[in-house]
Amino acid sequence: MYGVVTGEVDEFGQPSDDTVVVALAGDPLYVGVKLLDQQYRLEDVRLLAPVLPRSKVVGIGRNYAAHAAEMGNDLPAEPLMFLKPNTSVVGPNDPIFYPRQTQDLHYEGELAVVIGRICRDVPPEQATDVIHGYTIANDVTARDLQKSDVQFTRAKGFDSFCPLGPWIETDLDPQTFVDGVRIQTHVNGDVRQDGTTADLIFDIPTLIAHVSSVMTLLPGDVILTGTPEGVGPMEVGDEVEVSIAGIGTLTNKVAQR
Ligand code: MG
């Protein structure tokens, strides 16, 4: 069941104490919705992934200069695209499973864009028209397999490698991200990534134009906008939190498969 989360989120991604969830009938991306006369406190509900992409999650690599540098890569001349299967999507507090095929599992905290309508060849100046909202992603990556396979499919495609949530923020002005929104990743409470969307090499309209010049985007498709510097390993038992100011905090624990 879908719901509307009310209330504000602070600069550290924490919702206010009076946050409630109002239940919805329908599906916001496909059939329209109706507010129901049912309301729950946030702590009393279990949140699922706020969207299950019908067709694809499009990842963008090396979209922050400092992250490209830490990986030893040159800056891309145009956005570097890859796909994650929709079966990699899980929700807040769902486990990230550590596959037996890797010895180097990494977190990548990212701003995610949720597409709201079918579109192709979107000009950058019309990109905001096709955005349903914004959420938070952890672009989980088996770093050793990414290097050995060359193709990213296995390294980024395992089940549970795309936590999304905790919800979709639908009321943000895209200019906010150009001005700069703080994005942080904590592992067991220690800060590992502390970046700003002001450092995106290719901004969100450019990414939507680029991706949609290659493939049709459908409602519920998700674009991951890249990760700031500070990527690193996760171990079984670790708790990973990705926070984006004004959106929220996405928390997942790593579990043995
Ligand atoms: Mg990434």
Side-chain angles (χ1 to χ4, degrees):
M1 172 176 252
Y2 289 92
V4 177
V5 181
T6 67
E8 299 295 315
V9 172
D10 71 14
E11 60 181 310
F12 304 106
Q14 296 306 312
S16 54
D17 291 337
D18 59 349
T19 301
V20 296
V21 184
V22 182
L24 290 175
D27 179 330
L29 282 162
Y30 294 103
V31 293
V33 290
K34 201 174 79 181
L35 279 172
L36 297 176
D37 192 20
Q38 298 169 32
Q39 187 168 302
Y40 306 92
R41 292 190 314 166
L42 183 59
E43 63 256 42
D44 292 337
V45 300
R46 179 187 166 206
L47 297 175
L48 306 177
V51 60
L52 186 58
R54 292 271 176 99
S55 73
K56 55 200 169 285
V57 176
V58 182
I60 302 294
R62 301 170 198 162
N63 202 22
Y64 289 81
H67 169 63
E70 75 178 344
M71 302 304 292
N73 293 312
D74 293 332
L75 294 190
E78 55 184 354
L80 172 68
M81 291 169 52
F82 58 90
L83 292 176
K84 288 169 89 83
N86 60 358
T87 43
S88 65
V89 171
V90 292
N93 302 307
D94 284 341
I96 297 167
F97 287 109
Y98 202 122
R100 59 180 166 77
Q101 296 95 325
T102 178
Q103 277 75 50
D104 196 18
L105 188 69
H106 277 210
Y107 56 82
E108 294 188 359
E110 308 201 6
L111 170 66
V113 180
V114 182
I115 299 298
R117 53 187 242 204
I118 186 167
C119 57
R120 196 177 70 180
D121 291 327
V122 181
E125 58 273 15
Q126 287 174 25
T128 42
D129 297 346
V130 307
I131 295 173
H132 175 66
Y134 305 91
T135 190
I136 303 169
N138 188 343
D139 176 20
V140 177
T141 303
R143 197 66 73 198
D144 46 356
L145 302 182
Q146 186 182 28
K147 290 182 182 127
S148 63
D149 284 1
V150 183
Q151 296 283 333
F152 291 1
T153 307
R154 181 166 65 145
K156 289 177 177 282
F158 284 93
D159 288 4
S160 81
F161 270 30
C162 192
L164 292 177
W167 39 67
I168 298 169
E169 171 56 61
T170 52
D171 285 336
L172 274 177
D173 180 345
Q175 181 63 31
T176 315
F177 298 111
V178 178
D179 297 339
V181 172
R182 193 174 192 185
I183 172 166
Q184 289 186 305
T185 303
H186 291 80
V187 177
N188 302 325
D190 297 332
V191 66
R192 301 287 178 85
Q193 295 186 285
D194 192 356
T196 167
T197 58
D199 291 338
L200 283 169
I201 297 171
F202 300 107
D203 64 11
I204 290 167
T206 303
L207 295 180
I208 290 173
H210 184 78
V211 174
S212 71
S213 75
V214 177
M215 57 187 80
T216 299
L217 290 169
L218 302 183
D221 282 351
V222 172
I223 299 176
L224 312 183
T225 60
T227 198
E229 70 177 312
V231 298
M234 304 182 286
E235 306 299 338
V236 170
D238 283 350
E239 182 178 76
V240 184
E241 297 168 285
V242 184
S243 302
I244 300 183
I247 300 181
T249 296
L250 171 67
T251 306
N252 300 88
K253 268 191 171 174
V254 183
Q256 196 76 52
R257 181 149 211 100

